Amino acid sequence: MAVSFGGAGLILANHAVAHMSRTLCAVPRARAIHSTAVCCKHQAARIRVGKGDKPVTYEEAHPPHHIAHRKGWLSQHTSNLDRETGAAERTVEDIFIRRFIFGTFHGLLANELVIKRRGNMLVVCALFTQKIPAYKLYFLIGYTETLLSYFYKCPVKMEVQTVKDKVVYKYL
Amino acid sequence: MTSCCSVFYFRNELAVLQALSSTVQRVQWVFLFIYLAHVYIKAVYCEVMWKSHMFYYLLRFFFFFFFLNLYQDPTASHYRFQDDPYLTPRTASEFKLFSLSQESGRNAAKYIINTYPNFFLKDYAEPHIPCLMPESLQPKVTEVCEAGLRELIHLRKVRSAVDMYDRLLQAGTVVSLELTNNLLDLICFYGDQDPVQGDQAEPEKTAEGVRDDSDSLHRTWRKDNNAERIFHLMPERNERSYGALIRGMVKYGAHSKAFDLYTDMQNNRMAADVHAFNALIAAAPEVRQKYSEKWDLIAEMLKQMNKLGVRPTLLTFNTVLKSLLRCGPLSRALVLQVLGEMKALGIGECGPLSSLSLHICIQGSLSSRTACSVSGPFSFRILFHLQLLLIRAPVRCSQKMYVCCSLKDLGLAYRVHSLLNVGDNWKLLGNPSREGFYYGSLFNLVCMMENIGVVLQWYRDLVPSLFYPNSHTMRDLLQALDADNRLDLIPEIWKDVKQLGLATVSGDLAEEVLALMARDEHSPEVRKTLWSLTTQYTVPSYNRVLCDEKLLALCNMATILLAAGRTDQAWEILQLFKANNRVPSEKLLDEFLNSAKSGSNSEQAVTLVQMSSSFSLPATARLAQRVEQEFDLSEEQKKALQDVEATSDSDKD
């Protein structure tokens, strides 16, 4: 809302003053202050364009307003439907699971996790790079599934895909 | 997830289904419609109109199979692995490695959960799920009392329980009979030692239905046993105490003591229960020497059971048959009798466990040297009986298949394989090595007996989803291909061999393939593919392996390369002969000469003759003559040839 103290008031005053100035001497003019409400730049989940040497995946390259247009959802559950409860708890669980897997599979995640809830079951879909031999990956998968099952008291399954290196979408 | 469960529930129908799979398309919509109509009507009328369970079952089955197409997928690996090319095991050893590492990951997680249970106590689950709570293995009750003893028994801590019992007795409290019986059961079951804890046990937890209790085999019933001591200390003993002690003794090898205790029991006019009788029947062959006496003792036990009115169960007959194994050759006739008894008592139909009669007959036929052919129809009769009784035979599938192999009976093998889909029989496949043995024998039989189309169909169905072949099996497959003149399929088979990791080990398979390839004349396309095979694999590796060069393989390789028209590589192989002190055969040299002729390369021909003279082959003279006749030689070449001839003549002299 731009409120200009100068502008129209000055014109009116001018008319009044013009009226008066014919009779009196000139009124000193004042500078106007324009101000708006604070409008910060959007910076959520955006990577700013840089020199062109930073590799960026598809997920990272697209800002959030592209969700449902060019991106899908990373966490799929029904708590956000009408008259459904538990959205906050699901979100907290998701955050924990993401951090847990980021730490357990250290350096192996090629992209964000996708967490799906089907009935009672938690399905964690992960994309890993092939940096460690397959049997070590299986050890970690068995460990994660069991630990998370016991932690959340529901069956947790991992659906894993591997990729040679992180898939680069563009360089920013 | 659901599909896997359904596959197990509906394995009965798989065999039928795969035959019908071609007719699926049109039919499935009809059945889907019928199923949906059924569900709708059931919902509307709220009472089951078609009360027949069979009908509903049939509908569900058709729905799952025709509409959802829930078959065994022959291109996928086992469902416990992730569906990714990097994470799919290619060989049997990789299969084992991956499953074991996954299992050890689970054990590591369980260890952490049980060591820090306070993080896992918050209960999100609405109906409480006890199996997802951390286990508490430490007893909570610490003072000396009966509740403490009860808890220790529940936690299976044998020594602490005995300790607690002694302390209770010393303190003067009278421990109730039931509790003492429980304690006796515990001690006798675990043989007076603590059971092996979870992290020390074998990590392999695949579905093994019939697994030997390996730790019990290492323990024997000691003389100064806690169980006996407590037994004698008991003020009053009932049948349960005697029963527990008898079963423990039999389990840990003190058979004659068990029989002594049994006579004790009879003197006290107590009637043993069916479990004690089972144990005694199992122990019977150990306490007598002659076969007839053994059988007499078993029969005696059965008669006493009858007299006391104790009804024999499936387990009883199991043990009878197991004991009959030790009774030698007269067991065969008795097996049929026993089966008849079972049928008369109507036992087979409802029992969740099953009989071991096939086990008997197989063991019998394996151990007996004579009349393998006799046991063929015999086993068929047994199988027939079994199917009649709807008994699911829990014999080790691998052994069954091995017998079918040795009997060369394909029909029986197919029937055994179809039995695999009945009920719980999939557990009988045992651990993966046994499963591999089973499928190996099955495939071996199929290769021997069936034509190539069927063999390839089986190959595609079994490998690699169910079965990782070893080099024997691949050799059988190659022989089958050879027999049916389908050697053009060798490139694909060789690709599989390489993927299975069988191509480098000992090289037998490679030699076989080379021999097959070199033997016949093939069409040009096949030759090209064969050439690509050899050069991809064999040449570099044979260059590396210096000591193991097999002569025949080299000859074959050279022949193949010549046939494929790659003369340069063929000449390289010839150099290899020299380098490794191997002598090429005359036929090979003739072929080289032919190729040199077709290439009109007289230089090569002369070098060939020189080479053969250096090997001091008797055919040198003949070769030299041939070269002189067939090639236009320059002066030097002619001179060289004559030198060679001279040396060869002098060698002969």
Side-chain angles (χ1 to χ4, degrees):
Chain A
M1 250 183 347
V3 177
S4 171
F5 292 117
L10 192 57
I11 295 171
L12 282 171
N14 262 341
H15 286 314
V17 162
H19 239 40
M20 284 166 66
S21 70
R22 291 188 201 118
T23 53
L24 292 170
C25 54
V27 177
R29 294 191 183 219
R31 289 255 172 161
I33 301 174
H34 289 250
S35 70
T36 66
V38 177
C39 287
C40 295
K41 263 177 130 63
H42 293 286
Q43 54 181 18
R46 282 167 177 79
I47 297 187
R48 301 293 173 186
V49 175
K51 278 210 202 88
D53 55 352
K54 189 167 52 179
V56 142
T57 62
Y58 186 90
E59 191 73 44
E60 290 167 5
H62 287 86
H65 61 266
H66 283 132
I67 292 179
H69 300 274
R70 299 185 200 173
K71 283 167 68 158
W73 280 266
L74 290 178
S75 168
Q76 298 174 4
H77 54 85
T78 56
S79 310
N80 285 323
L81 295 175
D82 190 21
R83 290 193 285 264
E84 295 286 341
T85 57
E89 286 90 353
R90 302 295 92 75
T91 314
V92 171
E93 286 169 16
D94 278 1
I95 295 174
F96 177 82
I97 291 171
R98 283 176 209 279
R99 286 184 188 223
F100 181 83
I101 292 191
F102 180 74
T104 315
F105 296 86
H106 189 71
L108 293 173
L109 271 177
N111 209 336
E112 298 282 336
L113 285 186
V114 172
I115 301 180
K116 305 181 188 177
R117 285 175 175 78
R118 291 180 196 148
N120 188 27
M121 218 165 65
L122 244 171
V123 179
V124 176
C125 308
L127 189 66
F128 294 129
T129 47
Q130 293 173 0
K131 283 192 198 149
I132 57 173
Y135 67 94
K136 290 193 186 175
L137 206 48
Y138 271 112
F139 177 88
L140 292 174
I141 289 172
Y143 165 79
T144 318
E145 283 185 356
T146 318
L147 203 82
L148 287 177
S149 303
Y150 274 72
F151 193 67
Y152 285 123
K153 312 289 180 230
C154 64
V156 173
K157 290 270 173 280
M158 286 195 74
E159 290 181 6
V160 167
Q161 256 193 296
T162 54
V163 94
K164 203 102 186 60
D165 297 302
K166 268 196 180 183
V167 182
V168 178
Y169 176 64
K170 57 183 177 185
Y171 290 89
L172 287 181
Chain B
M1 177 75 170
T2 47
S3 63
C4 310
C5 306
S6 307
V7 166
F8 282 121
Y9 294 142
F10 289 109
R11 277 183 88 121
N12 313 2
E13 286 78 14
L14 264 177
V16 172
L17 252 261
Q18 279 167 354
L20 292 178
S21 54
S22 56
T23 59
V24 163
Q25 294 302 357
R26 261 172 257 153
V27 177
Q28 66 191 36
W29 294 111
V30 175
F31 281 114
L32 173 62
F33 175 78
I34 294 177
Y35 177 74
L36 289 175
H38 164 75
V39 169
Y40 168 71
I41 289 172
K42 201 169 164 196
V44 164
Y45 285 98
C46 276
E47 57 191 25
V48 184
M49 277 183 61
W50 297 310
K51 268 229 152 104
S52 158
H53 172 70
M54 207 41 215
F55 185 73
Y56 186 64
Y57 174 83
L58 211 62
L59 272 184
R60 254 189 345 157
F61 144 66
F62 278 125
F63 175 67
F64 273 115
F65 275 109
F66 285 127
F67 185 59
L68 293 179
N69 285 333
L70 290 176
Y71 304 92
Q72 166 89 17
D73 181 3
T75 58
S77 58
H78 198 271
Y79 70 88
R80 72 172 74 135
F81 299 120
Q82 301 288 335
D83 193 12
D84 184 64
Y86 183 68
L87 295 175
T88 311
R90 305 252 156 98
T91 69
S93 50
E94 267 188 17
F95 183 99
K96 192 167 177 192
L97 180 65
F98 290 173
S99 3
L100 284 181
S101 44
Q102 194 168 26
E103 200 52 49
S104 58
R106 291 199 191 118
N107 289 345
K110 287 246 177 64
Y111 171 75
I112 290 187
I113 292 162
N114 290 333
T115 320
Y116 303 102
N118 44 334
F119 297 121
F120 298 92
L121 290 175
K122 179 161 181 198
D123 199 4
Y124 296 93
E126 186 39 35
H128 177 69
I129 305 176
C131 71
L132 285 179
M133 300 298 284
E135 290 170 5
S136 56
L137 294 172
Q138 303 306 323
K140 289 200 207 83
V141 181
T142 43
E143 63 264 357
V144 177
C145 65
E146 286 209 352
L149 183 58
R150 208 166 283 131
E151 198 180 2
L152 282 173
I153 293 176
H154 177 70
L155 289 173
R156 309 284 187 260
K157 296 195 181 306
V158 179
R159 294 220 179 149
S160 337
V162 172
D163 246 350
M164 173 81 85
Y165 181 80
D166 289 333
R167 274 190 277 164
L168 276 173
L169 281 190
Q170 276 175 359
T173 37
V174 175
V175 187
S176 68
L177 185 60
E178 200 200 318
L179 199 52
T180 325
N181 277 339
N182 282 342
L183 181 63
L184 272 180
D185 276 339
L186 181 75
I187 303 176
C188 294
F189 186 78
Y190 285 112
D192 204 17
Q193 293 168 41
D194 275 323
V196 177
Q197 288 305 317
D199 50 350
Q200 299 160 20
E202 242 194 7
E204 188 173 8
K205 293 253 174 54
T206 51
E208 306 175 46
V210 186
R211 185 169 70 107
D212 295 320
D213 198 7
S214 55
D215 39 348
S216 72
L217 291 176
H218 299 303
R219 303 183 192 170
T220 48
W221 190 260
R222 293 193 322 249
K223 280 211 182 60
D224 51 347
N225 214 306
N226 275 323
E228 287 186 18
R229 182 173 62 89
I230 294 178
F231 185 73
H232 291 305
L233 282 177
M234 279 168 75
E236 45 167 270
R237 307 156 197 163
N238 68 354
E239 291 97 355
R240 231 188 106 186
S241 338
Y242 277 102
L245 216 57
I246 289 175
R247 289 163 78 188
M249 284 173 176
V250 170
K251 184 170 177 182
Y252 291 103
H255 304 284
S256 39
K257 272 198 196 173
F259 273 97
D260 292 339
L261 206 61
Y262 177 64
T263 41
D264 224 359
M265 224 178 138
Q266 281 181 314
N267 291 341
N268 288 342
R269 291 181 210 297
M270 289 197 211
D273 65 345
V274 63
H275 303 292
F277 270 115
N278 287 347
L280 286 170
I281 292 174
E286 310 282 345
V287 295
R288 296 277 184 274
Q289 270 69 47
K290 289 175 66 178
Y291 291 146
S292 51
E293 284 179 18
K294 292 185 194 191
W295 170 245
D296 287 339
L297 189 55
I298 296 176
E300 166 89 24
M301 288 282 118
L302 289 171
K303 281 196 202 99
Q304 288 190 356
M305 272 178 89
N306 198 9
K307 204 169 69 167
L308 289 170
V310 177
R311 193 174 169 79
T313 62
L314 202 47
L315 210 48
T316 320
F317 283 110
N318 274 353
T319 34
V320 167
L321 292 165
K322 229 181 188 168
S323 312
L324 272 183
L325 260 184
R326 328 287 283 287
C327 285
L330 57 96
S331 59
R332 290 221 204 107
L334 295 166
V335 166
L336 282 178
Q337 280 182 12
V338 173
L339 275 182
E341 281 286 333
M342 288 179 78
K343 199 163 148 202
L345 283 170
I347 284 192
E349 276 141 59
C350 51
L353 303 171
S354 332
S355 80
L356 291 176
S357 62
L358 204 53
H359 191 149
I360 307 297
C361 105
I362 284 166
Q363 291 279 28
S365 62
L366 279 180
S367 56
S368 74
R369 305 282 147 73
T370 62
C372 215
S373 51
V374 170
S375 55
F378 180 70
S379 61
F380 174 71
R381 270 190 301 164
I382 296 285
L383 202 54
F384 183 66
H385 269 279
L386 290 181
Q387 285 182 330
L388 213 54
L389 290 174
L390 296 178
I391 290 175
R392 307 165 223 142
V395 191
R396 297 255 174 77
C397 277
S398 50
Q399 282 190 316
K400 279 199 264 194
M401 199 42 78
Y402 179 67
V403 166
C404 294
C405 249
S406 54
L407 295 175
K408 306 265 188 303
D409 188 350
L410 192 62
L412 194 58
Y414 281 151
R415 231 171 283 129
V416 170
H417 189 63
S418 69
L419 267 186
L420 198 62
N421 288 328
V422 172
D424 277 341
N425 280 355
W426 56 272
K427 288 186 194 152
L428 276 175
L429 278 177
N431 57 23
S433 58
R434 284 202 180 276
E435 198 172 337
F437 185 58
Y438 169 78
Y439 281 115
S441 333
L442 176 62
F443 193 63
N444 185 16
L445 195 59
V446 168
C447 282
M448 270 198 283
M449 298 280 185
E450 296 268 11
N451 69 355
I452 194 68
V454 180
V455 170
L456 286 175
Q457 182 65 31
W458 274 99
Y459 182 70
R460 262 180 232 120
D461 282 342
L462 290 182
V463 176
S465 55
L466 287 173
F467 164 52
Y468 294 98
N470 54 10
S471 50
H472 275 294
T473 319
M474 295 316 283
R475 197 171 304 158
D476 288 336
L477 182 60
L478 286 172
Q479 281 174 0
L481 285 178
D482 191 20
D484 260 353
N485 262 333
R486 291 297 304 276
L487 289 177
D488 52 326
L489 290 174
I490 284 189
E492 292 159 19
I493 306 290
W494 184 250
K495 213 162 41 138
D496 285 342
V497 167
K498 266 200 296 184
Q499 203 184 50
L500 287 167
L502 295 172
T504 49
V505 174
S506 81
D508 284 347
L509 209 52
E511 283 167 31
E512 181 111 3
V513 171
L514 285 172
L516 278 177
M517 292 199 285
R519 213 182 48 199
D520 299 328
E521 285 293 318
H522 298 295
S523 61
E525 305 90 36
V526 180
R527 260 187 252 148
K528 276 211 193 65
T529 42
L530 294 180
W531 158 76
S532 64
L533 271 176
T534 39
T535 47
Q536 262 171 36
Y537 158 67
T538 44
V539 173
S541 69
Y542 273 90
N543 275 333
R544 277 199 305 269
V545 176
L546 291 180
C547 316
D548 277 7
E549 303 268 9
K550 301 275 175 62
L551 173 65
L552 216 51
L554 282 177
C555 289
N556 288 332
M557 266 164 53
T559 325
I560 296 164
L561 287 170
L562 281 178
R566 303 284 165 164
T567 39
D568 313 329
Q569 269 131 346
W571 279 96
E572 276 174 36
I573 302 254
L574 212 51
Q575 310 307 323
L576 268 183
F577 273 108
K578 197 64 195 290
N580 293 306
N581 290 331
R582 294 276 193 272
V583 179
S585 68
E586 297 178 8
K587 194 158 121 4
L588 191 60
L589 291 174
D590 279 338
E591 285 189 16
F592 266 104
L593 209 55
N594 287 338
S595 83
K597 192 168 116 185
S598 59
S600 304
N601 198 337
S602 48
E603 190 59 48
Q604 275 184 354
V606 174
T607 9
L608 200 62
V609 177
Q610 281 171 339
M611 199 184 294
S612 79
S613 78
S614 67
F615 284 125
S616 311
L617 284 176
T620 316
R622 185 171 55 83
L623 281 173
Q625 274 183 346
R626 249 191 90 186
V627 169
E628 274 179 7
Q629 285 163 7
E630 293 171 8
F631 287 83
D632 321 320
L633 297 168
S634 65
E635 277 308 315
E636 335 172 319
Q637 287 169 341
K638 275 195 194 146
K639 207 156 99 38
L641 262 182
Q642 275 157 6
D643 285 339
V644 164
E645 277 183 346
T647 46
S648 72
D649 281 340
S650 63
D651 280 344
K652 268 194 218 140
D653 303 333

